[in-house]
Amino acid sequence: MATPPVPSHMVELPSWLLSQSALHAHRLVSEGLGEIGARTYHYRLLAALAEEGPASQNTLGRRCGIHASDLVATINELAEDGYVRRDPDPTDRRRNVVTLTAEGRRRLRRLDATVRRIQDRVLAPLSAEERSLLSRLLRVLIDHHGNRPGSTRE
């Protein structure tokens, strides 16, 4: 299917370019992870547990920027496959603590490799220096607007 024409005054707008690039990148990542039976939420949650250790479901939701209803479903899926373990919090039995399992670490390594390959596809026309510059500039924008998960900026 052909892409509909875009008004010429839009094609140089950085906001439009960012949104179009983000849509394409998100689609490629979702499709690539889907090919190995994963979703982006799986990757996000496993990475957060690997980086910051066991956490309550509420803490994980804040760390990952995943809504509570989606978080529960994601944890359920990962627990069913043995990638995470959910245990009662010893300090508050009403809460659960989610922990990454050894199988979850192996799964995360596979997801990392898949995502790296997808990044290479998304950024194929850019040199290593251009990729680095693009990442730095995007981090500046994200930090300025405070829209990283867990950000305290309002």
Side-chain angles (χ1 to χ4, degrees), residues 31-59:
E31 288 173 359
L33 291 175
E35 289 172 5
I36 60 170
R39 296 185 303 121
T40 55
Y41 280 173
H42 295 167
Y43 183 59
R44 198 183 306 182
L45 196 137
L46 293 174
L49 288 170
E51 289 175 15
E52 299 185 40
S56 70
Q57 290 179 193
N58 282 341
T59 299

mmCIF file of all heavy atoms in Angstrom, residues 31-59:
data_model
loop_
_atom_site.group_PDB
_atom_site.id
_atom_site.type_symbol
_atom_site.label_atom_id
_atom_site.label_comp_id
_atom_site.label_asym_id
_atom_site.label_seq_id
_atom_site.Cartn_x
_atom_site.Cartn_y
_atom_site.Cartn_z
ATOM 1 N N GLU A 31 6.871 -6.219 16.222
ATOM 2 C CA GLU A 31 6.851 -7.375 15.327
ATOM 3 C C GLU A 31 8.010 -8.326 15.622
ATOM 4 O O GLU A 31 7.834 -9.541 15.652
ATOM 5 C CB GLU A 31 6.917 -6.925 13.870
ATOM 6 C CG GLU A 31 5.638 -6.283 13.378
ATOM 7 C CD GLU A 31 5.777 -5.677 11.980
ATOM 8 O OE1 GLU A 31 6.874 -5.735 11.378
ATOM 9 O OE2 GLU A 31 4.762 -5.131 11.485
ATOM 10 N N GLY A 32 9.204 -7.770 15.833
ATOM 11 C CA GLY A 32 10.380 -8.600 16.103
ATOM 12 C C GLY A 32 10.246 -9.386 17.393
ATOM 13 O O GLY A 32 10.576 -10.577 17.445
ATOM 14 N N LEU A 33 9.753 -8.733 18.436
ATOM 15 C CA LEU A 33 9.545 -9.437 19.696
ATOM 16 C C LEU A 33 8.420 -10.455 19.550
ATOM 17 O O LEU A 33 8.498 -11.563 20.094
ATOM 18 C CB LEU A 33 9.255 -8.453 20.824
ATOM 19 C CG LEU A 33 10.428 -7.573 21.253
ATOM 20 C CD1 LEU A 33 9.972 -6.555 22.301
ATOM 21 C CD2 LEU A 33 11.590 -8.402 21.775
ATOM 22 N N GLY A 34 7.382 -10.092 18.805
ATOM 23 C CA GLY A 34 6.267 -11.016 18.584
ATOM 24 C C GLY A 34 6.703 -12.301 17.900
ATOM 25 O O GLY A 34 6.155 -13.372 18.175
ATOM 26 N N GLU A 35 7.709 -12.214 17.046
ATOM 27 C CA GLU A 35 8.206 -13.399 16.348
ATOM 28 C C GLU A 35 8.797 -14.434 17.309
ATOM 29 O O GLU A 35 8.869 -15.610 16.983
ATOM 30 C CB GLU A 35 9.250 -13.000 15.303
ATOM 31 C CG GLU A 35 8.644 -12.287 14.112
ATOM 32 C CD GLU A 35 9.687 -11.723 13.158
ATOM 33 O OE1 GLU A 35 10.901 -11.965 13.357
ATOM 34 O OE2 GLU A 35 9.281 -11.024 12.214
ATOM 35 N N ILE A 36 9.227 -13.970 18.484
ATOM 36 C CA ILE A 36 9.776 -14.911 19.470
ATOM 37 C C ILE A 36 8.858 -15.021 20.691
ATOM 38 O O ILE A 36 9.287 -15.418 21.777
ATOM 39 C CB ILE A 36 11.229 -14.551 19.875
ATOM 40 C CG1 ILE A 36 11.318 -13.157 20.486
ATOM 41 C CG2 ILE A 36 12.163 -14.703 18.692
ATOM 42 C CD1 ILE A 36 12.674 -12.850 21.113
ATOM 43 N N GLY A 37 7.589 -14.659 20.509
ATOM 44 C CA GLY A 37 6.588 -14.839 21.550
ATOM 45 C C GLY A 37 6.694 -13.866 22.707
ATOM 46 O O GLY A 37 6.320 -14.199 23.832
ATOM 47 N N ALA A 38 7.177 -12.660 22.434
ATOM 48 C CA ALA A 38 7.317 -11.655 23.497
ATOM 49 C C ALA A 38 6.603 -10.369 23.089
ATOM 50 O O ALA A 38 6.244 -10.174 21.930
ATOM 51 C CB ALA A 38 8.786 -11.369 23.772
ATOM 52 N N ARG A 39 6.405 -9.528 24.095
ATOM 53 C CA ARG A 39 5.831 -8.201 23.876
ATOM 54 C C ARG A 39 6.782 -7.165 24.453
ATOM 55 O O ARG A 39 7.646 -7.497 25.259
ATOM 56 C CB ARG A 39 4.459 -8.093 24.559
ATOM 57 C CG ARG A 39 3.430 -9.045 23.973
ATOM 58 C CD ARG A 39 2.028 -8.888 24.539
ATOM 59 N NE ARG A 39 1.956 -9.047 25.979
ATOM 60 C CZ ARG A 39 1.510 -8.114 26.823
ATOM 61 N NH1 ARG A 39 1.092 -6.955 26.388
ATOM 62 N NH2 ARG A 39 1.459 -8.353 28.113
ATOM 63 N N THR A 40 6.594 -5.909 24.077
ATOM 64 C CA THR A 40 7.484 -4.853 24.582
ATOM 65 C C THR A 40 7.381 -4.734 26.105
ATOM 66 O O THR A 40 8.386 -4.452 26.761
ATOM 67 C CB THR A 40 7.187 -3.495 23.914
ATOM 68 O OG1 THR A 40 5.806 -3.163 24.093
ATOM 69 C CG2 THR A 40 7.512 -3.530 22.430
ATOM 70 N N TYR A 41 6.191 -4.961 26.670
ATOM 71 C CA TYR A 41 6.060 -4.917 28.129
ATOM 72 C C TYR A 41 6.901 -6.014 28.790
ATOM 73 O O TYR A 41 7.453 -5.803 29.868
ATOM 74 C CB TYR A 41 4.604 -5.073 28.559
ATOM 75 C CG TYR A 41 3.755 -3.824 28.470
ATOM 76 C CD1 TYR A 41 2.391 -3.898 28.697
ATOM 77 C CD2 TYR A 41 4.290 -2.573 28.178
ATOM 78 C CE1 TYR A 41 1.583 -2.773 28.638
ATOM 79 C CE2 TYR A 41 3.498 -1.448 28.101
ATOM 80 C CZ TYR A 41 2.147 -1.547 28.334
ATOM 81 O OH TYR A 41 1.362 -0.424 28.285
ATOM 82 N N HIS A 42 6.999 -7.168 28.181
ATOM 83 C CA HIS A 42 7.830 -8.242 28.731
ATOM 84 C C HIS A 42 9.275 -7.763 28.819
ATOM 85 O O HIS A 42 9.934 -7.926 29.854
ATOM 86 C CB HIS A 42 7.796 -9.488 27.847
ATOM 87 C CG HIS A 42 6.461 -10.150 27.771
ATOM 88 N ND1 HIS A 42 6.185 -11.109 26.822
ATOM 89 C CD2 HIS A 42 5.326 -10.005 28.492
ATOM 90 C CE1 HIS A 42 4.949 -11.534 26.969
ATOM 91 N NE2 HIS A 42 4.401 -10.876 27.979
ATOM 92 N N TYR A 43 9.743 -7.189 27.731
ATOM 93 C CA TYR A 43 11.129 -6.717 27.677
ATOM 94 C C TYR A 43 11.368 -5.634 28.729
ATOM 95 O O TYR A 43 12.349 -5.671 29.467
ATOM 96 C CB TYR A 43 11.422 -6.212 26.265
ATOM 97 C CG TYR A 43 12.846 -5.768 26.054
ATOM 98 C CD1 TYR A 43 13.908 -6.652 26.251
ATOM 99 C CD2 TYR A 43 13.138 -4.481 25.640
ATOM 100 C CE1 TYR A 43 15.211 -6.252 26.043
ATOM 101 C CE2 TYR A 43 14.437 -4.078 25.427
ATOM 102 C CZ TYR A 43 15.468 -4.963 25.625
ATOM 103 O OH TYR A 43 16.763 -4.556 25.423
ATOM 104 N N ARG A 44 10.463 -4.694 28.803
ATOM 105 C CA ARG A 44 10.596 -3.581 29.745
ATOM 106 C C ARG A 44 10.647 -4.078 31.186
ATOM 107 O O ARG A 44 11.490 -3.663 31.982
ATOM 108 C CB ARG A 44 9.421 -2.628 29.553
ATOM 109 C CG ARG A 44 9.653 -1.259 30.132
ATOM 110 C CD ARG A 44 8.461 -0.352 30.008
ATOM 111 N NE ARG A 44 7.937 -0.199 28.665
ATOM 112 C CZ ARG A 44 6.908 0.598 28.384
ATOM 113 N NH1 ARG A 44 6.305 1.283 29.331
ATOM 114 N NH2 ARG A 44 6.466 0.697 27.156
ATOM 115 N N LEU A 45 9.755 -4.989 31.524
ATOM 116 C CA LEU A 45 9.679 -5.485 32.895
ATOM 117 C C LEU A 45 10.895 -6.342 33.258
ATOM 118 O O LEU A 45 11.481 -6.178 34.327
ATOM 119 C CB LEU A 45 8.385 -6.278 33.075
ATOM 120 C CG LEU A 45 8.008 -6.511 34.526
ATOM 121 C CD1 LEU A 45 6.525 -6.279 34.722
ATOM 122 C CD2 LEU A 45 8.372 -7.893 34.959
ATOM 123 N N LEU A 46 11.299 -7.241 32.371
ATOM 124 C CA LEU A 46 12.485 -8.074 32.643
ATOM 125 C C LEU A 46 13.729 -7.208 32.779
ATOM 126 O O LEU A 46 14.563 -7.447 33.661
ATOM 127 C CB LEU A 46 12.665 -9.121 31.540
ATOM 128 C CG LEU A 46 11.593 -10.207 31.454
ATOM 129 C CD1 LEU A 46 11.824 -11.089 30.234
ATOM 130 C CD2 LEU A 46 11.531 -11.032 32.730
ATOM 131 N N ALA A 47 13.866 -6.200 31.929
ATOM 132 C CA ALA A 47 15.028 -5.314 32.011
ATOM 133 C C ALA A 47 15.043 -4.540 33.332
ATOM 134 O O ALA A 47 16.092 -4.402 33.972
ATOM 135 C CB ALA A 47 15.038 -4.348 30.824
ATOM 136 N N ALA A 48 13.874 -4.060 33.769
ATOM 137 C CA ALA A 48 13.801 -3.318 35.034
ATOM 138 C C ALA A 48 14.186 -4.216 36.209
ATOM 139 O O ALA A 48 14.923 -3.790 37.104
ATOM 140 C CB ALA A 48 12.394 -2.752 35.242
ATOM 141 N N LEU A 49 13.719 -5.449 36.218
ATOM 142 C CA LEU A 49 14.070 -6.371 37.300
ATOM 143 C C LEU A 49 15.557 -6.704 37.280
ATOM 144 O O LEU A 49 16.192 -6.797 38.338
ATOM 145 C CB LEU A 49 13.238 -7.650 37.206
ATOM 146 C CG LEU A 49 11.768 -7.505 37.586
ATOM 147 C CD1 LEU A 49 10.994 -8.764 37.212
ATOM 148 C CD2 LEU A 49 11.618 -7.185 39.068
ATOM 149 N N ALA A 50 16.127 -6.872 36.101
ATOM 150 C CA ALA A 50 17.557 -7.173 35.994
ATOM 151 C C ALA A 50 18.402 -5.999 36.475
ATOM 152 O O ALA A 50 19.423 -6.189 37.136
ATOM 153 C CB ALA A 50 17.923 -7.526 34.556
ATOM 154 N N GLU A 51 17.982 -4.789 36.170
ATOM 155 C CA GLU A 51 18.756 -3.603 36.525
ATOM 156 C C GLU A 51 18.598 -3.195 37.985
ATOM 157 O O GLU A 51 19.552 -2.765 38.613
ATOM 158 C CB GLU A 51 18.355 -2.424 35.639
ATOM 159 C CG GLU A 51 18.811 -2.570 34.215
ATOM 160 C CD GLU A 51 18.316 -1.450 33.316
ATOM 161 O OE1 GLU A 51 17.862 -0.404 33.836
ATOM 162 O OE2 GLU A 51 18.382 -1.630 32.097
ATOM 163 N N GLU A 52 17.386 -3.315 38.521
ATOM 164 C CA GLU A 52 17.123 -2.752 39.848
ATOM 165 C C GLU A 52 16.714 -3.773 40.893
ATOM 166 O O GLU A 52 16.480 -3.412 42.039
ATOM 167 C CB GLU A 52 16.076 -1.648 39.722
ATOM 168 C CG GLU A 52 16.579 -0.524 38.815
ATOM 169 C CD GLU A 52 15.642 0.645 38.762
ATOM 170 O OE1 GLU A 52 15.079 0.999 39.809
ATOM 171 O OE2 GLU A 52 15.476 1.200 37.667
ATOM 172 N N GLY A 53 16.606 -5.027 40.499
ATOM 173 C CA GLY A 53 16.311 -6.073 41.465
ATOM 174 C C GLY A 53 14.832 -6.242 41.743
ATOM 175 O O GLY A 53 13.984 -5.560 41.172
ATOM 176 N N PRO A 54 14.513 -7.186 42.649
ATOM 177 C CA PRO A 54 13.117 -7.485 42.980
ATOM 178 C C PRO A 54 12.374 -6.228 43.432
ATOM 179 O O PRO A 54 12.971 -5.322 44.020
ATOM 180 C CB PRO A 54 13.231 -8.482 44.134
ATOM 181 C CG PRO A 54 14.590 -9.082 43.983
ATOM 182 C CD PRO A 54 15.453 -7.993 43.420
ATOM 183 N N ALA A 55 11.077 -6.214 43.145
ATOM 184 C CA ALA A 55 10.279 -5.039 43.499
ATOM 185 C C ALA A 55 8.827 -5.437 43.644
ATOM 186 O O ALA A 55 8.377 -6.439 43.099
ATOM 187 C CB ALA A 55 10.417 -3.976 42.410
ATOM 188 N N SER A 56 8.092 -4.584 44.366
ATOM 189 C CA SER A 56 6.650 -4.773 44.458
ATOM 190 C C SER A 56 6.040 -4.457 43.094
ATOM 191 O O SER A 56 6.660 -3.799 42.254
ATOM 192 C CB SER A 56 6.050 -3.833 45.506
ATOM 193 O OG SER A 56 6.103 -2.486 45.046
ATOM 194 N N GLN A 57 4.824 -4.938 42.880
ATOM 195 C CA GLN A 57 4.147 -4.664 41.619
ATOM 196 C C GLN A 57 3.978 -3.165 41.407
ATOM 197 O O GLN A 57 4.181 -2.670 40.296
ATOM 198 C CB GLN A 57 2.801 -5.392 41.573
ATOM 199 C CG GLN A 57 2.966 -6.887 41.461
ATOM 200 C CD GLN A 57 1.660 -7.655 41.426
ATOM 201 O OE1 GLN A 57 1.693 -8.845 41.568
ATOM 202 N NE2 GLN A 57 0.528 -7.009 41.228
ATOM 203 N N ASN A 58 3.626 -2.426 42.459
ATOM 204 C CA ASN A 58 3.465 -0.970 42.331
ATOM 205 C C ASN A 58 4.758 -0.298 41.913
ATOM 206 O O ASN A 58 4.770 0.572 41.049
ATOM 207 C CB ASN A 58 2.957 -0.355 43.642
ATOM 208 C CG ASN A 58 1.484 -0.576 43.845
ATOM 209 O OD1 ASN A 58 0.752 -0.864 42.912
ATOM 210 N ND2 ASN A 58 1.040 -0.454 45.088
ATOM 211 N N THR A 59 5.853 -0.696 42.536
ATOM 212 C CA THR A 59 7.152 -0.118 42.201
ATOM 213 C C THR A 59 7.518 -0.431 40.755
ATOM 214 O O THR A 59 7.991 0.436 40.021
ATOM 215 C CB THR A 59 8.243 -0.634 43.162
ATOM 216 O OG1 THR A 59 7.896 -0.238 44.493
ATOM 217 C CG2 THR A 59 9.611 -0.095 42.799
#
